Structures are given as structure tokens and as C-alpha cells.
Amino acid sequence: MSASESSSVSAARSALVSEAGQDWVQRSLRSVWHPCTQMRHHESLPMLPIARGQGAWLFDPEGHRYLDGISSWWVNLFGHANPRINAALKDQLDTLEHAMLSGFTHAPVVELSERLSASTDHVLGHCFYASDGASSIEIALKMSFHYWRNKGLPAKQGFLCLQGSYHGETLGALGVTDVALFRDAYGPLLRAAQVMPSPDARQVQPGETAEQIAQRALQAVHDVFRQQADSLAAIIVEPLVQCATGMAMYDPAYLKGLRSLCDQYQVHLIADEVAVGCGRTGTFYACEQAAMWPDFLCLSKGISGGYLPLSLVMTRDEIYQAFYSDDVTRGFLHSHSYTGNPLACRAALATLDIFEQDDVLVSNRLLAQRIDAALAPLAQHDRVKHYRRCGMIWAMDVSLSEGDKGFARRFFEQALRRGLLLRPIGNTIYVMPPYVLDDEGIDLLARQLPVVLHESLEA
């Protein structure tokens, strides 16, 4: 974005923000190091203060509202200030806010673990808790590595990940991440995984199907397994949608075939459902669409309804039993101070209640049809390609002029000016709304998204 463009957008943004809001922005810049941000950009692109949320909307101090089209980084499922989750947290707050989980337990963590295990027909269980998605990935990687050591196979230490994969910002998670922007600066600190071809369905050539792309990617994994299985601990994948690489969607046949290969060659399968779990792909777990269960399943983001930091790993009893011993060194000694926090677990239980009581997976299918109809005209835009959907995730790629590196920021700014919170990933526009999006919000998307796209391309 040129200096003149930045100045113009900055002025437009500033005009939206009240004097009180500007004060919060300046205080934030003086005291807060914001995530996933080059802080200097805020010299020309002021951030937006948020005062409150209600349903699918966020409000600034002046009362302007913004449709939360990306569920506040993919976490909010049932709207901001949801009355049922609020009530559960208020009740829990008067009972128990926190207790250490080493040597102690409490009702919310037990009930949540039981319900999650039951949701996998008890194939997976013994939830291990942390606070964020990357931490759950660290847990799964360490558990897999340690399992093989406990089983007398210490040479099985290697990990595989997919091209374009993203699994978090901690060092272990970055080691199985293939997004250069996040990974490369820390390369010397990482234990890098081998990168396998992605089954991304956008690779289809004329006459090909998404399943054929999946089979070709599986063959590459098969070749590596055949040669290196004795030194491999696990392969990690984001089931059905690789989100941070641009919402790369693929056929469930890949997961089904991968499960078979992992069984054949004794390599663990880690499913990172941090972003794609909790109904986001159309089933509660994305893996369900391939009729299989992984060896480790990681959840975060939506599991607490977007209320509190919570993540967890579920695994098979065979893996749990490999750590069960009188020998302390065979135990899994990983820990977090707020592991299994009662408030976070209670928010998760309230979230599961809403799924059950409101038959959310069914109602989401109807909601998705309405959103489909609203966004369908964008698929015909001459600069849009690969318009796609998986469950409650919509994405499309925009053809840009050579050297155009400012599209995502322009689009983000133009969207905010029209009451939409949308943040493209590179040239990929995506919509990942809360499940409470109503007709008013859908109409706003239908009216304003084409305008935002046009102005972002013209700028």
C-alpha cells in the first residue's frame, strides 16, 4: 500500500473512532505488543477499539457495529455475550474459579472429558488439557514421541506435515508448520518435519477430481512410510481444511487413506482440529466425514464457545496405557498452571449443551444454504477463482496484479468501513461466521462484500 493510500485509509478509520476510542488506541500502542502484527503498520493504519459484543456483532466505543465475519479468529461459535454461556460462567464463578489439576480434580473437567470421549464413541478419551491450540499440538507431538520410547522403539522420532500446514507458534508446533512467514525466522531453533504434498483440491487439472488429488498425495506419504516408518513417530494434518495457508480444502478420502497407511506402517496420526473442529466443517469433528478416528485429536478455539482459553488432546487408550507405570519417567509430565481450568471447562460444557439442545449441526446446514445463496454471485466475478465451501467456511481466491502485496490490508480496511470484520489471508477472502448469523447479517455480507472487493481491487 502506498503512503498516500495508507494516509487516506488512516483518515477514514480515524473518522470512525471517537475521542475516547482514540485514547484507548494510543494507550494500547504504548503498552500492548499485539499478536501477528508488524506494530509499525499502526502508524498509518490505526487499530479499532472494541467496547462490547452482542451476538454476531462487535461494537466500538462510539456505537458503530461490525459483523464478526471471522468469529474473532475462528473461536466464537454462538455469538458474543451469549446468555446461556454467560449464565453457566456466572454460576461457576460462585463455586470454583480454579484449582490445580495435579493431585486434584473437579466436576467440570470430569464431565467435559466424559462427554468428549462419548462423542467419539469412546475410541478417544483421557483428555489432557492446556490453554491454546499450539500447546495442544506440543502435547500431541510429545506424547507420540514419548509413546514410542516407552514401547522400546526410541528411533521413531520423526514427524511429517503437509505443504502449507500451520499448527501454531510455539517451537514444536512451528517445527510441523510449513508457512515461511511464521517459521523461517526461527529456523535454527526448530526440529523440522518432513513436508508432504498437500491434497489441496485447487490443484485439480481438467478432467481430474479432488479425490484423485488426494490419492496422489497419499502415494507420496506411502513412499515415505515404506522407506522410513522405523524412524517416524507421527504425521500431523488439519482435517479437510488447511486454514492458515488460504483455506485449502480437500477430499475426505485423503484422511481415510492416511488412517489406513498409519495403521499399516505403525505411524501415529495427529488430527489438528483446533480450527476445524466443533462443527466448523459440518460435522462436530472433521474426521467424522472420513469415518475414521486419529490417534491424537487436538481441540481448542470453538470448544469454549470463544469465551476462555482452553485446549485439549484426546488419545486412544493404548497410548494412555503406555504411560501407566510405577516408573515416574514413563509418565507424561507435561503441565500448565491453568490446566483444566473450571471456568473454561464450564464454558465448554455450556457450548456442548447448545450443540445438543439446538441441534446445531442440522440448523447449520440450513444456515449454510442461505449464506451460499447470498455469496454465490461472487463466484462469477472475473477476478475470483476457486470459490469453495466446507461446512461453515467459505473461501475464494482473488487474481491480483503482479506485485500487489497490499490487497489483504486494503480489503480489511474497506470491509471495516462498511461494517464487516473480514481479514483475507493473502489473496484468499474467507468468511467463517458465528453460527448465530441471522438474515440481517447475511444481507449485509451479500450487499457489501462485492463493493469491498471492487474498491480493494481499484485502490
Side-chain angles (χ1 to χ4, degrees), residues 1-2 4-6 9 13 45 383 398-401 403-418 420 422-424 426-427 429 451-459:
M1 182 179 290
S2 69
S4 61
E5 289 171 335
S6 293
V9 173
R13 172 76 73 83
L45 298 171
R383 300 280 288 275
V398 180
S399 298
L400 300 176
S401 303
D404 184 355
K405 297 182 179 179
F407 170 77
R409 277 170 47 187
R410 291 198 306 272
F411 189 98
F412 172 59
E413 290 290 329
Q414 296 288 355
L416 283 177
R417 292 178 63 188
R418 285 160 182 78
L420 296 173
L422 297 170
R423 285 172 58 110
N427 70 323
I429 300 169
V451 177
V452 173
L453 176 59
H454 173 75
E455 296 196 352
S456 299
L457 290 171
E458 291 294 311

Side-chain angles (χ1 to χ4, degrees), residues 3-220:
S4 61
E5 289 171 335
S6 293
S7 176
S8 174
V9 173
S10 175
R13 172 76 73 83
S14 298
L16 291 176
V17 181
S18 66
E19 184 175 339
Q22 294 285 9
D23 180 60
W24 282 114
V25 168
Q26 292 306 313
R27 289 168 63 182
S28 188
L29 289 172
R30 289 194 296 268
S31 60
V32 181
W33 198 336
H34 291 261
C36 201
T37 300
Q38 171 48 264
M39 293 298 293
R40 188 168 185 176
H41 288 169
H42 285 307
E43 291 181 7
S44 58
L45 298 171
M47 66 181 67
L48 183 68
I50 296 299
R52 67 183 183 90
Q54 185 65 52
W57 302 87
L58 293 167
F59 296 80
D60 68 15
E62 193 72 4
H64 301 115
R65 66 177 187 167
Y66 305 87
L67 183 68
D68 191 354
I70 58 171
S71 299
S72 290
W73 251 348
W74 319 343
V75 301
N76 188 282
L77 300 188
F78 299 118
H80 300 280
N82 182 282
R84 283 186 277 181
I85 302 177
N86 286 358
L89 285 173
K90 289 173 183 175
D91 178 71
Q92 185 62 44
L93 194 60
D94 287 333
T95 305
L96 177 67
E97 84 298 341
H98 185 65
M100 63 187 291
L101 205 60
S102 179
F104 300 86
T105 195
H106 52 76
V109 77
V110 173
E111 292 171 6
L112 179 57
S113 303
E114 290 174 341
R115 288 176 67 174
L116 289 172
S117 180
S119 71
T120 71
D121 295 324
H122 301 287
V123 175
L124 303 175
H126 282 101
C127 297
F128 197 102
Y129 289 87
S131 58
D132 57 90
S135 295
S136 71
I137 301 302
E138 299 281 339
I139 289 165
L141 296 173
K142 287 177 66 176
M143 279 184 175
S144 176
F145 176 93
H146 200 163
Y147 169 87
W148 294 117
R149 173 182 160 184
N150 282 355
K151 295 295 285 187
L153 296 167
K156 291 176 71 65
Q157 299 183 8
F159 293 95
L160 304 180
C161 66
L162 299 187
Q163 182 181 14
S165 60
Y166 174 86
H167 298 288
E169 306 289 351
T170 52
L171 293 180
L174 277 177
V176 290
T177 285
D178 184 48
V179 180
L181 177 66
F182 301 114
R183 183 202 62 213
D184 285 1
Y186 310 101
L189 299 176
L190 305 180
R191 190 174 186 272
Q194 291 186 67
V195 179
M196 295 288 99
S198 169
D200 183 355
R202 290 176 294 182
Q203 301 172 76
V204 295
Q205 298 299 317
E208 276 191 312
T209 66
E211 183 171 356
Q212 287 173 313
I213 297 296
Q215 294 303 328
R216 192 159 67 234
L218 281 171
Q219 185 58 53

